[in-house]
């Protein structure tokens, strides 16, 4: 039985399998062709303990496109609100025999706890500040599609890097796949990246963008920081917001990505977010569907 708990547990072959299957499913979706019945007869449980638009909707859609049925468990109306524990909740749903569980949780490594308690594959849809492996895979798929590959590409990851599970999973995946990473943030939002040979840290956005093929912006994750961690939104935009002028420091053919949700005119200006040539943000979001189909394929049909 396979799980997707983090990028670090995947081999290069696993990552390439998901990227190849994502390309396969994207072509099928674009051609309005039937995709696969790989999940026919299966029932998937989405357990999101934190809000989501993209990840929840695209995992749900991916399951339907592969022939599964889906139940979206709702934390807000669950018996957690009557004091039931996380562990008892999982043992309860374990008894119903789901074929896979997709989980998002604010607690560190909650999907690992789930994997120990459940007798089915678990897919991490984002836990705490630590890991968002399906986002990193869809980001790599997007880079591969638009830049012809991931190896040799330089990616700037900019903004609130310290609290970002997207940054963590991307740093891991981009390293394994042979890319270079610039992390760019105010000093108090820069994590210690000294253990990574492929990562260089900058506290100035213009400097960090020089030579970059991809500029990946991040939202300030206020839900995971002390209020004093960042200046107010106007000041943050003044110092670290991506404008057309700053973007011109990157390579002339650089693309702009963002995992979203975006906070416009905080970390990114409207005209950059909506730039018809450089911004690939909505393209990237749409790639969540074929990539998450590929992830189901990987964990439920045995992968390679
Ligand atoms: N990028 C991302 O995880 O978005 P959602 O929170 O909307 O799922």
């Amino acid at each position: 039985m396979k799980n997707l708990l983090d990028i670090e547990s995947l081999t290069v072959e696993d990552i390439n399998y998901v990227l190849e299957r994502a390309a396969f499913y994207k072509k099928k979706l674009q051609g309005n062709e039937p995709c696969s019945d790989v999940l026919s007869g299966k029932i998937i449980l989405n357990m999101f303990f934190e809000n989501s638009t993209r990840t929840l909707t695209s995992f749900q859609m991916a399951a339907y496109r592969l022939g599964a049925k889906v139940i979206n468990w709702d934390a807000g109306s669950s018996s957690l609100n009557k004091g039931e524990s996380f562990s008892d909740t999982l043992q309860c749903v374990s008894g119903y025999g789901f074929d896979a569980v997709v989980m998002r949780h604010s607690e560190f490594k909650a999907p690992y706890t789930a994997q120990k308690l459940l007798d089915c594959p678990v897919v991490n849809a984002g836990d705490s500040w630590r890991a968002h492996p399906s986002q990193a895979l869809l980001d790599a798929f997007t880079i591969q599609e638009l830049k012809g590959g991931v190896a040799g590409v330089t990616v700037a990851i900019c903004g609130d890097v310290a609290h970002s599970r997207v940054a963590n999973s991307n740093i891991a995946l981009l390293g394994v796949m042979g890319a270079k990473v610039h992390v760019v943030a105010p000093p108090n939002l820069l994590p210690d990246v000294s253990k990574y040979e492929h990562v260089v840290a900058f506290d100035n956005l213009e400097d960090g963008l020089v030579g970059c093929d991809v500029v990946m912006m991040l939202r300030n994750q206020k839900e995971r920081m002390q209020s004093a961690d960042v200046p107010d939104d106007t000041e943050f935009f003044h110092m670290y917001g991506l404008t057309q002028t700053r973007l011109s420091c990157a390579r002339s053919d650089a693309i702009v990505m963002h995992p979203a949700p975006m906070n416009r005119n905080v970390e990114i200006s409207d005209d950059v977010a909506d730039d018809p040539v450089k911004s690939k943000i909505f393209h990237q979001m749409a790639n969540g569907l074929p990539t998450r189909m590929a992830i189901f394929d990987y964990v439920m049909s045995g992968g390679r």
Side-chain angles (χ1 to χ4, degrees):
M1 189 168 72
K2 287 180 184 286
N3 302 285
L4 178 65
L5 297 175
D6 52 38
I7 293 297
E8 290 80 355
S9 306
L10 301 178
T11 64
V12 172
E13 290 74 25
D14 292 331
I15 293 168
N16 279 327
Y17 176 85
V18 172
L19 300 184
E20 280 161 24
R21 292 303 286 175
F24 169 82
Y25 284 127
K26 182 160 182 174
K27 212 168 160 190
K28 293 272 186 196
L29 291 166
Q30 285 175 330
N32 280 327
E33 294 173 47
C35 290
S36 163
D37 59 357
V38 70
L39 298 192
S40 178
K42 308 285 187 194
I43 303 179
I44 312 286
L45 181 64
N46 283 328
M47 297 188 85
F48 278 57
F49 295 77
E50 260 190 12
N51 294 349
S52 170
T53 294
R54 280 145 288 275
T55 314
L56 176 61
T57 310
S58 58
F59 266 122
Q60 184 172 7
M61 187 73 172
Y64 282 133
R65 285 285 186 213
L66 294 175
K69 291 187 167 63
V70 181
I71 293 178
N72 284 332
W73 174 88
D74 175 33
S77 60
S78 76
S79 289
L80 288 173
N81 297 316
K82 299 177 191 167
E84 188 165 40
S85 70
F86 176 63
S87 163
D88 287 348
T89 303
L90 288 178
Q91 288 189 67
C92 166
V93 301
S94 177
Y96 303 142
F98 288 98
D99 295 294
V101 169
V102 179
M103 178 174 289
R104 170 171 289 190
H105 205 292
S106 59
E107 295 293 323
F108 183 73
K109 289 196 172 182
Y112 289 72
T113 308
Q115 187 256 320
K116 288 184 187 120
L117 292 170
L118 296 169
D119 190 23
C120 67
V122 173
V123 176
N124 184 354
D127 82 82
S128 62
W129 45 265
R130 197 193 62 87
H132 196 347
S134 69
Q135 180 71 48
L137 286 161
L138 81 86
D139 291 347
F141 176 56
T142 303
I143 292 169
Q144 186 171 70
E145 212 186 12
L146 299 176
K147 288 288 165 191
V150 178
V153 168
T154 302
V155 180
I157 302 179
C158 314
D160 180 9
V161 182
H163 298 98
S164 174
R165 55 194 176 205
V166 173
N168 268 336
S169 287
N170 265 300
I171 287 169
L173 190 153
L174 291 166
V176 169
M177 300 302 282
K180 289 191 168 53
V181 175
H182 293 182
V183 291
V184 187
N188 61 338
L189 295 180
L190 268 178
D192 177 9
V193 290
S194 56
K195 67 176 175 179
Y196 297 110
E197 285 187 6
H198 68 292
V199 182
V200 184
F202 297 84
D203 63 8
N204 176 284
L205 184 55
E206 285 91 344
D207 293 346
L209 295 186
V210 172
C212 289
D213 305 285
V214 178
V215 182
M216 191 182 288
M217 300 307 296
L218 300 172
R219 175 178 67 87
N220 287 339
Q221 285 128 104
K222 292 181 180 169
E223 68 275 25
R224 292 197 276 276
M225 65 170 76
Q226 308 295 323
S227 58
D229 275 1
V230 284
D232 68 31
D233 290 350
T234 307
E235 181 65 7
F236 188 88
F237 182 68
H238 177 66
M239 294 173 68
Y240 285 96
L242 185 65
T243 58
Q244 291 286 3
T245 306
R246 288 184 171 139
L247 181 56
S248 67
C249 297
R251 287 174 59 102
S252 58
D253 61 349
I255 59 169
V256 177
M257 297 173 63
H258 192 312
M262 287 184 271
N263 286 158
R264 287 167 176 262
N265 303 308
V266 179
E267 72 273 8
I268 187 167
S269 68
D270 279 326
D271 64 333
V272 173
D274 297 327
D275 187 301
V277 176
K278 295 196 165 188
S279 174
K280 303 299 178 189
I281 295 169
F282 287 95
H283 180 104
Q284 174 189 3
M285 285 183 214
N287 278 343
L289 174 56
T291 307
R292 289 176 171 126
M293 292 169 75
I295 289 167
F296 278 134
D297 200 322
Y298 171 75
V299 297
M300 297 184 71
S301 70
R304 290 164 289 128

